[in-house]
Amino acid sequence: MDRLIALGVFGAPQGVRGEIRVKAYTADPNAVAAYGALTDATGTRRFVLKVVRALRDDMVVARVEGVTMREAAAALTGVELFARRAQLPPPDAEEFYYDDLVGLEAVTPEGVALGRVAAIVNHGAGDVLEIAPAAGGETLLLPFTRQVAPEIDFAGGRIVIKPPLEIDGEPSP
């Protein structure tokens, strides 16, 4: 529960008083500042944000505690912002954070082990489960849909996978 969850990334400075653009990964971009102190990927740098205003759909302009000049804001460009998993509110019933899927054992409905969930990615065409086989080798990429992943059992540490009949022209595993 102490994993780091990406919430956004610093963009370019906005103006000369140290304000900076933040591309938010949160459903509500203004919420990027609602989780308390954020950190960088190493967990060593601490950032307290105050959203000043919305800029566009997924971007806000923010003030960062201790940053008062454009040069200091520019030095943050490209730094990703993370919250610790414990900082996020608990999900509602029947909801979960994608990050909570990482590490679950992927099994078929018959109980055959496929590997472990390594990541959930989205390159624009929908969410994709990346499953790393236990024996190593190429990861299995499957659409993250109710048909392919009909059951998630957090208590049991597993996700049931029904691979599509065909993957990239090859028979399913």
Side-chain angles (χ1 to χ4, degrees), residues 6-66:
L7 294 184
V9 62
F10 284 123
Q14 180 78 20
V16 296
R17 296 192 180 122
E19 294 179 346
I20 189 168
R21 297 175 189 179
V22 177
K23 178 179 173 59
Y25 304 152
T26 53
D28 173 8
N30 290 317
V32 73
Y35 300 103
L38 304 178
T39 185
D40 64 3
T42 66
T44 57
R45 295 171 68 187
R46 182 177 177 273
F47 307 102
V48 176
L49 303 181
K50 178 182 178 200
V51 171
V52 176
R53 66 185 172 280
L55 194 58
R56 55 180 184 252
D57 291 344
D58 63 350
M59 194 165 292
V60 295
V61 175
R63 290 192 177 276
V64 180
E65 188 176 275

Side-chain angles (χ1 to χ4, degrees), residues 15-173:
V16 296
R17 296 192 180 122
E19 294 179 346
I20 189 168
R21 297 175 189 179
V22 177
K23 178 179 173 59
Y25 304 152
T26 53
D28 173 8
N30 290 317
V32 73
Y35 300 103
L38 304 178
T39 185
D40 64 3
T42 66
T44 57
R45 295 171 68 187
R46 182 177 177 273
F47 307 102
V48 176
L49 303 181
K50 178 182 178 200
V51 171
V52 176
R53 66 185 172 280
L55 194 58
R56 55 180 184 252
D57 291 344
D58 63 350
M59 194 165 292
V60 295
V61 175
R63 290 192 177 276
V64 180
E65 188 176 275
V67 175
T68 58
M69 301 193 54
R70 180 179 181 84
E71 295 76 17
L76 296 175
T77 300
V79 173
E80 243 186 324
L81 296 165
F82 295 85
R84 300 213 177 270
R85 173 62 178 86
Q87 287 175 261
L88 302 178
D92 291 332
E94 300 297 317
E95 290 185 340
F96 54 86
Y97 289 108
Y98 278 8
D99 190 69
D100 293 341
L101 298 173
V102 174
L104 292 181
E105 181 182 14
V107 298
T108 66
E110 298 77 29
V112 176
L114 298 173
R116 293 211 174 266
V117 176
I120 294 87
V121 295
N122 186 321
H123 299 287
D127 296 322
V128 175
L129 279 170
E130 183 177 338
I131 300 172
E138 195 171 316
T139 59
L140 184 60
L141 300 174
L142 299 170
F144 185 42
T145 63
R146 177 75 68 184
Q147 293 79 23
V148 173
E151 182 183 338
I152 300 169
D153 177 8
F154 288 109
R158 67 186 198 113
I159 181 171
V160 173
I161 299 294
K162 285 180 157 178
L165 295 177
E166 204 175 273
I167 301 171
D168 208 19
E170 296 182 18
S172 65

